[in-house]
Amino acid sequence: MAAADLNAIRATIEGRLATELASSPAIPVVFHNMAFEPTPNSSFVQCLVSFGAGEYLSQGLTTNSQNRIIGLVVISIFSAKGVGPGANYVIGKRIRDLYNRIIVSGIFFDAATGPEALLSAAPEGFFQTQVRVTFESIEEL
């Protein structure tokens, strides 16, 4: 086997979110390295997928061995400021349901954390929460 395709893992994670948030009501989604200008008093979601430490699962070298790839999905939910958290938490539930303790295409998602309110939103002018999910995938070498 070959090393894991990190772009395929990322695309699987991002694709689930894009598909879910394209349905009614549709919510814009922004991914790493994308230009985006938010509309005031609206909602949007930012998804950041990162890969962290891995670990050996078997003692082989570059063939007949396995590694565990560990990563983190941080999904920031932005909604209108000054109208309460309700709409934001509805989006958060949709996102938690996508990833909470499931396996998709060989990606194992852990229990989701959040949505957790942040004290100051970036960009300013929005109410922001975050849903965070760690994940792992087994790399067959």
Side-chain angles (χ1 to χ4, degrees), residues 2 4 9 14 20 29 42 44 52 55 59 69 81 97 104 119:
I9 294 170
E14 292 177 353
E20 169 62 25
V29 181
S42 66
F44 69 96
E55 66 179 281
Q59 295 298 318
I69 298 171
K81 191 174 186 176
D97 291 347
V104 177
L119 292 178

Side-chain angles (χ1 to χ4, degrees), residues 118-123 126 128:
L118 301 182
L119 292 178
S120 57
F126 291 89
Q128 180 183 358

Side-chain angles (χ1 to χ4, degrees), residues 1-132:
M1 301 278 309
D5 183 346
L6 300 182
N7 273 318
I9 294 170
R10 177 197 53 77
T12 298
I13 295 168
E14 292 177 353
R16 286 184 62 76
L17 184 64
T19 300
E20 169 62 25
L21 296 185
S23 64
S24 184
I27 300 164
V29 181
V30 182
F31 299 105
H32 268 293
N33 201 25
M34 284 180 61
F36 181 74
E37 187 64 38
T39 305
N41 298 316
S42 66
S43 295
F44 69 96
V45 168
Q46 179 187 49
C47 176
L48 306 174
V49 177
S50 59
F51 297 92
E55 66 179 281
Y56 299 123
L57 295 179
S58 62
Q59 295 298 318
L61 295 174
T62 58
T63 59
N64 298 323
S65 61
Q66 296 178 324
N67 296 327
R68 182 185 330 267
I69 298 171
I70 300 170
L72 175 66
V73 183
V74 177
I75 302 169
S76 293
I77 306 160
F78 298 88
S79 57
K81 191 174 186 176
V83 295
N88 192 294
Y89 287 178
V90 168
I91 298 168
K93 181 181 180 340
R94 287 174 68 184
I95 293 168
R96 283 179 60 92
D97 291 347
L98 283 176
Y99 301 107
N100 203 12
R101 297 185 61 172
I102 63 167
I103 302 170
V104 177
S105 299
I107 304 167
F108 302 79
F109 294 97
D110 296 321
T113 301
E116 180 181 344
L118 301 182
L119 292 178
S120 57
E124 293 180 3
F126 291 89
F127 174 68
Q128 180 183 358
T129 63
Q130 281 187 346
V131 173
R132 292 178 303 283

